[in-house]
Amino acid sequence: MGTLFVISGPSGVGKGTLVKLLLEEDSSLALSVSCTTRQPRAGEREGKEYFFLSKEEFLRRRDENGFLEWDEHFGNFYGTPKPFVLEMLKERSVILEIDVRGAMQVREALKGSGISPVLIMIAPPNEETLIDRLAGRASESEEELKTRLDRARYELSKSVDYDYLLVNDELDAAKNRLKDIIETEKSKRRL
């Protein structure tokens, strides 16, 4: 049985990049695929980026406790399919890259199941670095940037609910620390 890792962190902190680098190095890890009710974007493939569901199908699965976590954003639903993740865990460790609210839902959904997810918060070295990273994207207005920064402060305040807080100060060093955390947790569960 693999270990379930839940990785969260504010937008712009580099969690996606860290996960991508980790997956390239460690074939014993898999990234979970989420379900969504939004339409596929150009180049997205069913079962690769997302499982694309109708709203009716998503709500049916939600009502049948078919998601470890779910949320609605801009009129579309997103969720982590419980059967898919449980099946993957039979053969390998799995990473969920989700927000703080979703991480708490996963922890709650798995209570009493014998599966104890490892929650890892990725944080910036400081707020100025996060502001620079978000502003460097040049894809948001001042108001959107302020909203993202407020959201980042909220998410980082929830790091006390996580098992690990990993500061992404330098990419290779942060990747190696993340790899060490994952190896430590996987070996603990083999004992």
Side-chain angles (χ1 to χ4, degrees):
M1 178 72 114
T3 304
L4 182 60
F5 295 96
V6 177
I7 298 181
S8 304
S11 181
V13 80
K15 62 189 172 295
T17 301
L18 286 170
V19 168
K20 181 178 181 270
L21 291 171
L22 199 60
L23 291 169
E24 288 171 357
E25 286 186 14
D26 189 344
S27 61
S28 73
L29 291 170
L31 182 64
S32 178
V33 178
S34 295
C35 296
T36 184
T37 59
R38 76 161 171 75
Q39 291 299 306
R41 294 183 182 134
E44 288 183 331
R45 295 157 300 183
E46 173 70 20
K48 178 77 172 149
E49 285 78 18
Y50 286 99
F51 295 111
F52 296 97
L53 305 176
S54 68
K55 185 175 179 181
E56 294 73 25
E57 175 65 12
F58 189 100
L59 295 174
R60 182 187 67 74
R61 290 185 189 190
R62 179 199 66 186
D63 293 345
E64 293 174 354
N65 199 25
F67 294 108
L68 290 172
E69 59 86 30
W70 69 274
D71 203 357
E72 183 180 6
H73 298 284
F74 307 109
N76 291 303
F77 290 95
Y78 296 83
T80 302
K82 190 175 187 177
F84 178 73
V85 171
L86 296 179
E87 193 60 35
M88 285 196 328
L89 280 170
K90 290 177 182 176
E91 297 185 18
R92 60 196 335 174
S93 292
V94 177
I95 294 175
L96 304 181
E97 187 184 324
I98 56 178
D99 67 12
V100 170
R101 183 174 176 269
M104 296 305 115
Q105 285 182 31
V106 168
R107 183 177 269 166
E108 187 63 32
L110 292 173
K111 270 191 180 158
S113 71
I115 299 170
S116 181
V118 178
L119 276 55
I120 304 168
M121 173 68 74
I122 309 294
N126 52 53
E127 192 169 289
E128 292 76 29
T129 301
L130 183 61
I131 291 169
D132 289 346
R133 289 178 186 173
L134 288 172
R137 292 177 169 184
S139 61
E140 290 142 347
S141 68
E142 279 296 316
E143 188 59 35
E144 289 169 327
L145 193 57
K146 182 188 177 313
T147 300
R148 283 202 186 268
L149 196 53
D150 289 344
R151 176 74 186 167
R153 289 181 184 122
Y154 165 76
E155 289 177 341
L156 291 169
S157 77
K158 297 298 182 186
S159 65
V160 296
D161 297 324
Y162 279 66
D163 302 303
Y164 294 93
L165 174 64
L166 188 150
V167 176
N168 185 6
D169 46 3
E170 192 278 316
L171 191 59
D172 282 336
K175 180 208 47 154
N176 289 332
R177 288 192 303 269
L178 181 57
K179 189 175 181 177
D180 289 345
I181 290 169
I182 286 174
E183 286 307 312
T184 298
E185 288 296 331
K186 283 166 55 177
S187 65
K188 274 187 199 176
R189 288 151 202 271
R190 280 186 221 120
L191 301 177

